[in-house]
Amino acid sequence: MDETQTQPRIRNFSIIAHIDHGKSTLADRLLEQTQTVSRRQMVDQVLDSMDLEREKGITIKARAVRMAYEAKDGERYELNLIDTPGHVDFSYEVSRSLAACEGALLVVDAAQGIEAQTMANVYLALEHDLAIVAVINKIDLPNAEPERVAAEVGQFIGLLDDEVIFASAKEGRGITEILEAVVAKVPAPTGRREAPTRALIFDSHYDAYKGVIAYVKVVDGAIGRNDRIRLIGTGKEVDLLEVGFFGPDMQQVPELTAGEVGYLATGLKAVKDCQVGDTVTLAARPAAAALPGYRPAKPMVFAGLYPTEANAFPLLRDALERLKLNDASLTYEPESSLALGFGFRCGFLGLLHMEIIQERLEREYDIDLLATAPSVEYEVVLRGDKTIKVDNPAELPSPGEIEEIREPWMAINVIVPSRYIGAVMELVTGKRGVYDELVYLDEERVQLKFDMPLGELIVDFYDQLKSRTQGYASLDYSFAELRPADLVKLDVLVNGAPVDALSLISHRDDAYYKGRELVQALRALIPRQMFDVPVQASIGSRIIARETIRAMRKNVLAKCYGGDVSRKRKLLEKQKEGKARMKIVGNVEIPQEAFMAVLSLGGGDKAVAAKD
Amino acid sequence: MSIMPTIALPSASPAVPAPASLDAPLGIYLHVPFCAHVCPYCDFNTYAGQGGLIPRYVDALEREIARQGGALGGRDAATIFFGGGTPSLLSPSDIGRLVRACRGAFAVAADAEVTLEANPNGVDPAYFAGLLEAGVNRVSLGVQTQQRRGLRVLGRQHEATDAAAAFRAARDAGFANLSLDLIFGWPGQTPDGWVADLDTVLGWPGSAGGPDGPEHLSLYSLIVEPGTPMADAVARGILAVPDDDATADLYEAAIARMADAGYVHYEVANWAREPGLASRHNLGYWRNGDYLGLGAGAHGHLAGTSPALPGARRMQHLLPATWVAAVERGDDPTSNTEAIPPATAIGETMLLGLRLLRQGVAADAFLARHGIALDALYGATIAELAAKGLVERTPGGGVRLTSRGLLLANDVCAEFLDPALPETAVLLPGTERTLAVDVGSLA
């Protein structure tokens, strides 16, 4: 091995934490302590740079920051902190970030203990052979139980005493101990400097001037600023514009060598050409094999996005195109709905991802959107043995043409205090879930494992789980397999006309009650019109439920005199604007919430109570 | 009972069309922002416990009337209206001073309608005699309801007997033009109780020789305005207001009862014994006419007269003390001015004019006022709404609400707001009339 290489003094690590357990604050303290960012320059929580992330308290895009640290052994270390997204929608991204590390800080709230999602990520980290240092954070809280939480953590992953650190990131306690533990416990990377270059892409973003910026960990070899690289997965070749690291601003270096973490400015036009998990090698001396674990981004949840105003369609297309530059997992294809006109069928990693995209379209691109209820992708075997994929319920072929429908099932993992076992089981079985395993984590908490159709999971499951366990449950899930199911298409007719965007695919046994609840919810959500509006649910040509929205009888300003005119005019203008945001289907005005009504089914009378 | 009426009814004016012409006389509104007690449903600009300010306030009103009269060159005025608040907190001599001030500053017609809003408590025959003396010829009495429960829910400080006594006192003093305000849709009101209220007041004495009952009635559906104590009580579930269906029932019951009694339903919430007894001051608002608003928080409106002078609505300082101080300093007490561009003005003409159930918006008056034909702008809208049975044509090519359209007036009026004006049209009178007529003749 080359004596001049820096590898022995590199430490690559990430932070695994549940939302709100203090990851961002801890990261801030590490950056301060190593003087990567001075306290004065410190914008709180440097790592979460998107507004939306801050608002939702989650980290969407991973970041990698290099810190210089002079340890107590007198040596100077290069510490790379690789941030990971904190939501289950982004678990593949998490796995790639972990694959770029040799160690992880497991941050656990001293009052709340460990959560399902955190455990899932811990297992991921263990699969990648990462050294784990536990940080019991927020010990300053009055209800903190550091010893109990430490014991719990130790029990799951068998840590030694010096692998557990008590800290309060908020008060700056334990930060030096954490940095020392990273140096002592996290192994140095072990790549070969002379081997053909292989670098793992663990994140990327699109930059208007430099094209796609790939975040990489160089596993073997080196990458210089003048190199021509090849992406083994996509086969793309490109001349690099620059290489560097984040400190936390982009800082150029002549090259990145084995063990180092940094960025490559590729000049590529879209992140889909440079996907997370892909392997970078040099065109001149390519590596024989890619690094393991690459999986092209695959959306799991689908929904139609329609502009409320038809002329905003090109605007929406441009906006999706631009978001796609930065988001390999977002897919979109034009589709048209009889009810909603022209729009796009979009694919997302999960509901949160969908919500984020929707909000960004509305906020950053100022497009008023109407989203249909999310659906999953079904595999439909037609008579004559042809198989098609259907992600839009309206496009499900008629029953006569179908041999079999297969739907995606997920492996679900819930951690919850044991007193809620019954509530969770009831919820899960009500959603066609199949119980698999129950493990007692300690005297109070259990881990429940079961399988459930994704189609049920995306309909209100998480909210229900939270409310039935008073917020104590935490959830993790991953794709298991496709399974055949007895499914039917449920159509909705408003004022006698089918509204394709309200169709849904349901298990046959649930279709009746879903139809009934759906029309009840719609009756509450669709405002009264100037005439009676029947709302019906049907399977094929058979009507299974019906409600009538009674005609509005009175909507008139009681009084309007000299001092009222402007105010009353504005009131009517506002009413008119509200109407403009609704979709007119047939001659009935349908608000956005109606298209999402299906999400609240099974929530009892919640949807109905919302309006009455 | 032996006192003879000292004034005649205002002569029944020939039906003035809506919208008003630009040279129609002004209405003068004088706001009295004082109340002994503020009712829990009220969101008007009014204050309790500031009665000590009244002398200065009256002085300031007098001064402001003179200032505005000077600014407007003594324009014709047809009506004076004392609104509140509780104008009946002012003494007859103060009212007299203010009426004289108006007559001094403007060319107020000899038979001008002079209205004062009064509460049933604290008024007696002597008070009403004083009002007549002061030049007031119309009183609007805030009865609200004759149900005890309703009076308490509405936070009124009077009893049912007070309202009957006040009405009789006004009659006895010689008032031949009396109006009553009643409210329906208050929490706990029953349909029977509502009709009983109407029966009661319709049985009160008429003016000498005339039929029983008041000359004019305003029946308002209670609106729980945000920010009022009542809104808070409703939000907290303490009070439950009837839903739209229930208030629609009450409204329809009132329409039927009033028709039965022979009253003309001339505006959404207003009934007159005969067309000439409609509130002339308020007709000015519904015809989108010009009016001055003087006093704390009062709004005035002057229509645009040329492209360089678009219409505007002006509001005076809200707080009585601030308003008084501004006038005493010799300042213009205007706090806000809202420009009314032509498209907005046209929308307001429709929003207001459609409230006039009998006359609606007249085609010729519309063209004269806005410089564009009604049908050129709204032909398609009217046809569409007519097909739904919500509006109908009036004989002169104008438009008005049908009885079905009345109940859904907000939805109908909204269709007329913010019209897309043809770019080439110059939408103010005195210019480019030819173009407007051409467009109109195509329609």
Side-chain angles (χ1 to χ4, degrees):
Chain A
M1 275 208 195
D2 187 347
E3 293 303 317
T4 63
Q5 68 179 266
T6 52
Q7 207 165 227
R9 282 186 295 281
I10 296 176
R11 298 291 181 272
N12 298 319
F13 69 104
S14 67
I15 303 179
I16 295 171
H18 192 69
I19 296 168
D20 290 338
H21 282 201
K23 178 174 73 171
S24 299
T25 314
L26 176 59
D28 289 352
R29 290 300 95 80
L30 297 178
L31 296 182
E32 269 174 30
Q33 182 96 7
T34 56
Q35 291 167 358
T36 312
V37 178
S38 74
R39 188 169 268 281
R40 197 171 48 78
Q41 309 166 305
M42 192 85 200
V43 183
D44 249 0
Q45 305 190 355
V46 169
L47 290 180
D48 292 353
S49 62
M50 287 167 69
D51 282 354
L52 266 178
E53 290 179 28
R54 288 195 183 193
E55 274 176 37
K56 291 187 183 289
I58 45 171
T59 312
I60 303 163
K61 299 299 285 184
R63 290 288 153 95
V65 184
R66 181 182 293 188
M67 300 174 277
Y69 176 64
E70 200 168 318
K72 288 187 176 152
D73 63 7
E75 296 281 353
R76 235 177 128 70
Y77 289 88
E78 175 187 319
L79 309 184
N80 290 301
L81 167 56
I82 296 171
D83 198 15
T84 55
H87 191 275
V88 58
D89 277 5
F90 305 100
S91 57
Y92 173 69
E93 283 73 3
V94 175
S95 80
R96 294 305 85 202
S97 292
L98 295 178
C101 300
E102 285 78 39
L105 294 175
L106 167 61
V107 178
V108 182
D109 185 309
Q112 306 205 13
I114 202 157
E115 311 266 358
Q117 229 169 279
T118 320
M119 277 313 292
N121 289 344
V122 170
Y123 291 136
L124 267 178
L126 292 173
E127 276 171 34
H128 287 100
D129 262 339
L130 265 53
I132 291 182
V133 174
V135 176
I136 312 300
N137 193 23
K138 304 198 188 181
I139 54 170
D140 55 300
L141 290 180
N143 58 338
E145 297 179 79
E147 300 300 335
R148 185 186 67 76
V149 171
E152 182 186 86
V153 171
Q155 185 184 339
F156 299 149
I157 34 182
L159 295 172
L160 305 172
D161 281 352
D162 65 346
E163 288 166 339
V164 178
I165 298 166
F166 296 100
S168 163
K170 192 171 138 218
E171 297 184 346
R173 287 157 68 187
I175 306 301
T176 306
E177 288 81 348
I178 292 169
L179 288 166
E180 285 297 321
V182 167
V183 168
K185 297 291 175 183
V186 176
T190 56
R192 294 159 301 151
R193 175 72 173 78
E194 287 71 31
T197 298
R198 291 195 298 174
L200 171 69
I201 302 175
F202 60 85
D203 195 6
S204 62
H205 81 262
Y206 179 78
D207 178 285
Y209 301 102
K210 298 171 185 170
V212 174
I213 308 292
Y215 297 45
V216 296
K217 188 248 187 126
V218 182
V219 176
D220 294 323
I223 300 175
R225 65 164 60 130
N226 297 319
D227 283 338
R228 182 171 180 80
I229 59 161
R230 177 186 297 169
L231 295 152
I232 298 180
T234 61
K236 283 262 171 195
E237 278 193 20
V238 70
D239 291 316
L240 288 180
L241 303 180
E242 62 180 69
V243 303
F245 65 89
F246 296 95
D249 306 321
M250 288 167 88
Q251 297 182 17
Q252 289 196 50
V253 291
E255 65 170 5
L256 293 171
T257 62
E260 285 193 305
V261 169
Y263 71 85
L264 310 175
T266 64
L268 286 167
K269 290 281 186 304
V271 292
K272 70 172 192 298
D273 295 327
C274 185
Q275 292 205 9
V276 170
D278 203 347
T279 303
V280 178
T281 188
L282 298 185
R285 189 190 165 211
L291 296 161
Y294 173 62
R295 192 180 84 195
K298 185 174 177 298
M300 298 296 284
V301 171
F302 300 82
L305 294 184
Y306 291 82
T308 43
E309 283 169 42
N311 58 14
F313 179 81
L315 210 64
L316 176 57
R317 188 188 49 219
D318 293 351
L320 284 168
E321 204 172 292
R322 265 185 282 171
L323 287 179
K324 171 85 187 161
L325 287 178
N326 227 336
D327 189 340
S329 47
L330 171 70
T331 64
Y332 63 96
E333 265 173 48
E335 76 170 0
S336 70
S337 149
L338 291 174
L340 305 179
F342 291 99
F344 292 93
R345 193 78 192 166
C346 300
F348 310 94
L349 292 173
L351 283 184
L352 179 80
H353 186 213
M354 171 174 167
E355 205 178 302
I356 289 166
I357 295 290
Q358 216 178 320
E359 274 193 52
R360 292 190 64 186
L361 287 169
E362 296 201 328
R363 211 183 285 193
E364 292 167 31
Y365 297 92
D366 202 22
I367 303 172
D368 280 343
L369 279 182
L370 206 149
T372 63
S375 164
V376 302
E377 187 174 67
Y378 297 94
E379 205 172 85
V380 180
V381 184
L382 300 174
R383 294 203 197 283
D385 231 24
K386 194 176 161 231
T387 300
I388 58 168
K389 292 196 188 284
V390 173
D391 60 32
N392 180 351
E395 285 169 6
L396 189 71
S398 67
E401 298 172 53
I402 298 174
E403 186 73 44
E404 185 177 88
I405 305 177
R406 299 177 190 136
E407 63 177 336
W409 279 64
M410 310 300 278
I412 314 282
N413 183 7
V414 172
I415 293 182
V416 74
S418 51
R419 64 182 178 278
Y420 296 113
I421 293 175
V424 174
M425 294 291 255
E426 191 192 336
L427 174 65
V428 165
T429 48
K431 295 211 173 246
R432 294 195 282 137
V434 176
Y435 165 78
D436 179 17
E437 191 186 5
L438 186 151
V439 181
Y440 272 85
L441 301 178
D442 56 25
E443 301 86 69
E444 280 178 26
R445 303 197 327 147
V446 296
Q447 180 174 36
L448 283 161
K449 290 185 175 180
F450 44 88
D451 293 338
M452 185 193 276
L454 178 60
E456 301 281 347
L457 184 70
I458 62 173
V459 178
D460 200 35
F461 178 76
Y462 189 59
D463 288 345
Q464 285 276 324
L465 182 67
K466 281 283 175 196
S467 81
R468 290 191 190 203
T469 61
Q470 292 167 307
Y472 279 105
S474 62
L475 169 72
D476 177 69
Y477 52 84
S478 58
F479 176 73
E481 59 182 339
L482 284 170
R483 290 191 196 172
D486 187 9
L487 300 170
V488 294
K489 182 166 72 148
L490 193 66
D491 290 315
V492 173
L493 296 89
V494 174
N495 207 22
V499 180
D500 53 3
L502 285 171
S503 294
L504 62 97
I505 292 174
S506 161
H507 196 265
R508 190 181 301 276
D509 295 345
D510 298 336
Y512 279 89
Y513 101 83
K514 274 194 179 167
R516 207 165 49 239
E517 284 203 6
L518 183 56
V519 295
Q520 276 166 8
L522 290 173
R523 184 181 62 87
L525 289 169
I526 298 174
R528 297 168 77 176
Q529 315 278 315
M530 293 192 192
F531 40 85
D532 283 358
V533 176
V535 180
Q536 298 155 301
S538 74
I539 298 173
S541 58
R542 200 169 73 251
I543 303 291
I544 59 165
R546 179 193 163 107
E547 289 280 340
T548 302
I549 302 164
R550 308 289 303 171
M552 176 170 50
R553 282 191 52 205
K554 180 166 169 280
N555 181 22
V556 49
L557 299 171
K559 49 168 86 176
C560 189
Y561 295 103
D564 303 321
V565 182
S566 289
R567 200 162 55 97
K568 305 286 184 183
R569 188 193 73 234
K570 284 170 191 158
L571 191 81
L572 293 192
E573 280 167 355
K574 219 171 139 193
Q575 277 188 15
K576 195 178 180 183
E577 239 168 67
K579 276 187 172 186
R581 279 186 56 93
M582 297 188 201
K583 270 284 171 185
I584 300 192
V585 179
N587 46 3
V588 178
E589 285 145 0
I590 304 184
Q592 157 77 56
E593 306 85 71
F595 293 96
M596 303 302 277
V598 58
L599 285 185
S600 41
L601 297 186
D605 45 15
K606 191 176 81 178
V608 180
K611 174 111 183 307
D612 274 348
Chain B
M1 293 300 275
S2 60
I3 300 168
M4 293 299 292
T6 54
I7 54 156
L9 288 176
S11 59
S13 49
V16 181
S21 65
L22 287 167
D23 53 5
L26 285 171
I28 302 173
Y29 177 82
L30 303 170
H31 190 68
V32 181
F34 306 106
C35 279
H37 159 92
V38 177
C39 301
Y41 59 90
C42 182
D43 75 331
F44 284 8
N45 186 43
T46 192
Y47 305 86
Q50 294 197 16
L53 197 59
I54 289 180
R56 279 174 65 201
Y57 190 84
V58 173
D59 288 348
L61 264 181
E62 199 174 20
R63 188 168 168 180
E64 177 65 5
I65 291 166
R67 189 185 72 84
Q68 295 244 11
L72 288 163
R75 224 178 121 171
D76 285 350
T79 61
I80 300 171
F81 194 103
F82 291 88
T86 310
S88 55
L89 288 178
L90 265 53
S91 68
S93 67
D94 282 345
I95 301 286
R97 269 173 65 202
L98 295 171
V99 172
R100 281 194 299 281
C102 288
R103 290 194 177 273
F106 299 91
V108 179
D111 68 342
E113 178 191 89
V114 182
T115 306
L116 180 125
E117 291 182 336
N119 268 359
N121 41 344
V123 288
D124 56 19
Y127 185 79
F128 285 112
L131 286 183
L132 275 176
E133 187 94 356
V136 174
N137 53 24
R138 184 173 181 271
V139 167
S140 170
L141 200 59
V143 174
Q144 316 314 355
T145 176
Q146 286 294 88
Q147 313 284 317
R148 190 144 203 287
R149 175 172 177 183
L151 289 169
R152 294 296 85 82
V153 166
L154 294 172
R156 303 297 294 185
Q157 300 292 291
H158 68 269
E159 298 297 340
T161 47
D162 295 333
F167 186 85
R168 192 169 292 271
R171 273 283 186 251
D172 289 349
F175 274 95
N177 193 359
L178 290 173
S179 179
L180 306 179
D181 282 2
L182 273 79
I183 292 180
F184 63 93
W186 41 263
Q189 189 181 30
T190 62
D192 288 350
W194 171 229
V195 175
D197 269 357
L198 294 175
D199 289 342
T200 302
V201 302
L202 290 172
W204 286 352
S207 59
D212 279 352
E215 283 66 37
H216 187 276
L217 274 154
S218 300
L219 309 179
Y220 300 119
S221 177
L222 176 71
I223 297 185
V224 180
E225 298 283 1
T228 58
M230 185 172 275
D232 183 50
V234 169
R236 287 159 58 199
I238 297 167
L239 290 179
V241 287
D243 64 15
D244 286 351
D245 284 346
T247 53
D249 287 341
L250 297 174
Y251 188 45
E252 286 180 341
I255 290 171
R257 181 68 186 87
M258 295 304 291
D260 203 37
Y263 285 76
V264 182
H265 190 188
Y266 72 97
E267 196 265 352
V268 173
N270 286 280
W271 283 259
R273 159 90 64 216
E274 52 189 73
L277 288 168
S279 164
R280 287 202 273 153
H281 183 81
N282 291 336
L283 282 174
Y285 297 142
W286 299 318
R287 289 178 179 141
N288 201 10
D290 285 356
Y291 51 91
L292 300 178
L294 312 181
H299 292 245
H301 170 253
L302 292 175
T305 49
S306 78
L309 269 180
R313 192 164 283 117
R314 291 189 172 77
M315 191 183 88
Q316 304 207 327
H317 292 301
L318 266 176
L319 297 174
T322 312
W323 181 85
V324 167
V327 174
E328 287 175 350
R329 276 197 310 271
D331 291 347
D332 177 347
T334 300
S335 72
N336 292 320
T337 301
E338 183 197 9
I340 312 282
T344 307
I346 291 174
E348 290 182 352
T349 284
M350 301 306 293
L351 159 69
L352 294 163
L354 285 169
R355 293 183 72 89
L356 295 169
L357 303 178
R358 287 166 60 93
Q359 61 181 97
V361 175
D364 49 356
F366 185 92
L367 175 61
R369 168 73 178 268
H370 295 297
I372 186 166
L374 180 67
D375 276 274
L377 261 192
Y378 291 125
T381 308
I382 293 171
E384 212 172 287
L385 292 166
K388 291 180 185 165
L390 297 169
V391 299
E392 64 193 12
R393 290 292 189 167
T394 55
V399 60
R400 67 180 177 193
L401 295 173
T402 60
S403 49
R404 186 166 141 64
L406 163 60
L407 281 154
L408 301 173
N410 287 356
D411 299 275
V412 177
C413 291
E415 297 298 317
F416 290 94
L417 291 183
D418 206 16
L421 301 180
E423 271 176 38
T424 47
V426 178
L427 293 157
L428 287 159
T431 54
E432 301 293 326
R433 278 296 173 79
T434 4
L435 170 72
V437 173
D438 283 351
V439 174
S441 63
L442 290 173

